[in-house]
Structure formats: C-alpha cells, structure tokens
Amino acid sequence: MPGGDVLDLRHLGRERVIGSYLLEGDEPALVDCGPASCAAELRARLAARGLTVHDLRHLVLTHIHLDHAGAAGTLVRENPLLLVHVSEVGAPHVVDPSRLERSARRLYGDEFDRLWGELAPVPAENVRVAGDRVLGLEAFPTPGHASHHVAYVDADGVCYSGDAAGARILPSRYLAPVAPPPDIDLEAWERSLAAIERRRPSSLCLPHFGVVDDPAEHLALMRERLRTWAERVRDGASEEEFERAAEEELRAEGVDEETAAAYRQAAPFWQSHAGLRRYWDKKGETAAA
C-alpha cells in the first residue's frame, strides 16, 4: 500500500469508519489518532504491527475534530514523550479542550461519551505548531471543512488529506463531503482543493476511509458534489429532504447496506446539512432567510 499503513479503528465496532495512518521508521508516527473511544482498538492495531503507544514519537493531526484528534491527550498521558503536531489555530484547543468539548456536547448530547470518550488535554510542552514541514512531510493549510485543517504530502506525492477531500468508504466509488458545523467555508474549501490538486498527489489517504489511487478524478468529484450539496441547502432543502437526496445518491451508486451504514456513521448527512445551513445563514443566502 502506498503511503502510511491504515489502522482501522473500528469505531463503535464498525469497520471502515475511522482510520489512522501509521508512518513507520526510527520515530514511528500516526497521522490522526481517532477518538478516545477507539483507543483500545488503536492499541490492538499497533500491537499487530509489533508496536505499543510507548513506541510512538509523533502524532500529526490534520485537524482537531474529535474523530481525528480526540484521543491525543489520552495517548500523551500514556506516553509523555509523544509530540503532537497541529495547526496554529488548533493548538490552543488541544492544550485546553474545554471549549471544544462544550460545543461537541451541545451537538451530540447524551451520545457524546459513547461516541467519543474522554477528551483529555495535551500538555503545552508536548505540542508543536505545524510549519511548512513536519517529519519530512510538506504541510499546508486546507481550511473549508474546518479553519484549523492542515494537509500533508510526502516525497512520493502521498497526501494525507484529512476531511478536505471528503469521505469515500473504499472500495465504493461514492463520495460524500463532510461538512459539519460550526465553521464551513465554501470559498476556502475550493481554494484548499485547488492547493491539493497543484501538488499532483499520487494518492490520497482518507481517514474515512482508505487510500484513493485516482486523486485527480476524486478531487474533481469532490468539488462537484460539494457544490451540489451546498446549492441544495441554499435552495431551502430541509434536513429530511437533504438526507433523502443523499440516500438516493448512495443507492444510485449501488452502495451495499453495510457500506452505507459506514458512510452514515463517518459522515452523518444531518451534520452536513447543519454545517452548510449555518454557512448560508451567515451569508443571508438560504431560501428561508
């Protein structure tokens, strides 16, 4: 497999929902670590490769959403030598995740603990702000999905694109943008997709889920579907109508029910409706507004 080795974290027991990428070498690293609710599975996946959390030296975060970075504090507590590389915007929120947790608890309510587990702080001395280079990877900002989003490209063109390139539960061909609240920015997202394209990646390592070997086609589809979903919300589609349209897209692609369930878990359609609705409402451009 090109690039890092994907570790399936089996979120809530389901395969191909959340992945972490292992970069092996003298100083083993993870690109994203998933939530604390998946920490036991992460340990098991590392053990299968002859590693423990104590062997890790770096955690490289694409962004600080809980499904990507929620376990960071838990892992650093277990391994105090672990360094966490994160965007300048995201760094304060991994050191003090209280505001992030309050926001997430409002969104998820009583499901928060089951979904994500503990959100522990990362000591400031373990945090490194991601500059232009991180562990030999080119690092560059890719806002749009989140203001604190960063993508990484290695010397072979393997791109760790986080959620900037959407969710595609391989081997399915269906692509779902991931557009949760609170800070979706469509103009920034278009620029971020262009920034990834300019680097001509050889593959895309998606946390949701797998390694894409047709990045040019994938990014073109991502741009098209993001625009389609955004226009659907701007035209006044309700949450129910938006979800129904997304389900119809899944069926049109012939996605089997198990894979469809992974999409719903990795990229809940209601969240994308909420994020896009918030974006358009702030601009005063939804039909309802």
Side-chain angles (χ1 to χ4, degrees), residues 27-51:
E27 296 192 345
L30 294 178
V31 179
D32 291 342
C33 59
S37 59
C38 293
E41 190 66 39
L42 173 61
R43 294 185 191 98
R45 297 291 173 169
L46 289 171
R49 290 154 178 81
L51 297 170

Side-chain angles (χ1 to χ4, degrees), residues 133-152:
R133 307 290 298 182
V134 175
L135 308 183
L137 306 170
E138 179 190 3
F140 57 103
T142 45
H145 168 82
S147 60
H148 43 81
H149 202 289
V150 178
Y152 304 87

Side-chain angles (χ1 to χ4, degrees), residues 59 61 72 76 80 82-88 90-96 121-130:
L59 172 57
L61 299 179
V76 171
L82 186 61
L83 299 179
V84 178
H85 304 265
V86 62
S87 73
E88 184 175 12
H93 299 286
V94 298
V95 173
D96 179 6
V122 176
E125 58 268 26
N126 291 77
V127 174
R128 299 291 183 271
V129 171

Side-chain angles (χ1 to χ4, degrees), residues 207-230:
H208 317 293
F209 179 93
V211 179
V212 171
D213 60 8
D214 56 348
E217 179 182 343
H218 177 99
L219 291 168
L221 178 57
M222 173 64 190
R223 181 177 282 109
E224 176 185 342
R225 182 144 296 146
L226 180 61
R227 290 172 178 172
T228 297
W229 280 22

Side-chain angles (χ1 to χ4, degrees), residues 44-273:
R45 297 291 173 169
L46 289 171
R49 290 154 178 81
L51 297 170
T52 71
V53 170
H54 292 278
D55 294 312
L56 300 175
R57 288 297 173 264
H58 302 275
L59 172 57
V60 180
L61 299 179
T62 60
H63 59 303
I64 63 170
H65 288 168
L66 303 188
D67 54 334
H68 295 259
T74 301
L75 297 177
V76 171
R77 187 172 61 209
E78 188 171 339
N79 175 7
L81 298 179
L82 186 61
L83 299 179
V84 178
H85 304 265
V86 62
S87 73
E88 184 175 12
V89 177
H93 299 286
V94 298
V95 173
D96 179 6
S98 57
R99 181 179 172 186
L100 181 64
E101 180 166 349
R102 284 195 301 271
S103 176
R105 285 190 180 278
R106 283 196 299 270
L107 184 64
Y108 295 105
D110 293 341
E111 287 291 282
F112 178 95
D113 294 303
R114 183 180 75 91
L115 289 169
W116 312 121
E118 179 188 18
L119 187 56
V122 176
E125 58 268 26
N126 291 77
V127 174
R128 299 291 183 271
V129 171
D132 295 336
R133 307 290 298 182
V134 175
L135 308 183
L137 306 170
E138 179 190 3
F140 57 103
T142 45
H145 168 82
S147 60
H148 43 81
H149 202 289
V150 178
Y152 304 87
V153 179
D154 74 11
D156 296 320
V158 176
C159 180
Y160 300 92
S161 54
D163 282 345
R168 181 172 163 192
I169 312 297
L170 293 168
S172 172
R173 302 292 297 177
Y174 181 68
L175 193 158
V178 188
D183 57 349
I184 296 301
D185 184 330
L186 294 178
E187 290 83 5
W189 209 334
E190 290 274 358
R191 293 192 294 271
S192 294
L193 291 172
I196 295 172
E197 287 172 326
R198 283 196 302 273
R199 286 158 174 85
R200 299 179 180 276
S202 58
S203 59
L204 301 171
C205 292
L206 304 181
H208 317 293
F209 179 93
V211 179
V212 171
D213 60 8
D214 56 348
E217 179 182 343
H218 177 99
L219 291 168
L221 178 57
M222 173 64 190
R223 181 177 282 109
E224 176 185 342
R225 182 144 296 146
L226 180 61
R227 290 172 178 172
T228 297
W229 280 22
E231 290 301 312
R232 194 173 286 159
V233 175
R234 185 167 71 168
D235 290 343
S238 67
E239 180 182 307
E240 181 181 358
E241 291 167 336
F242 183 87
E243 289 189 298
R244 186 184 308 124
E247 291 287 346
E248 288 172 357
E249 291 170 346
L250 278 173
R251 287 194 294 272
E253 289 284 351
V255 176
D256 65 84
E257 181 51 37
E258 181 58 31
T259 303
Y263 274 105
R264 296 183 197 110
Q265 189 168 322
F269 300 139
W270 67 268
Q271 285 187 19
S272 288
H273 179 271

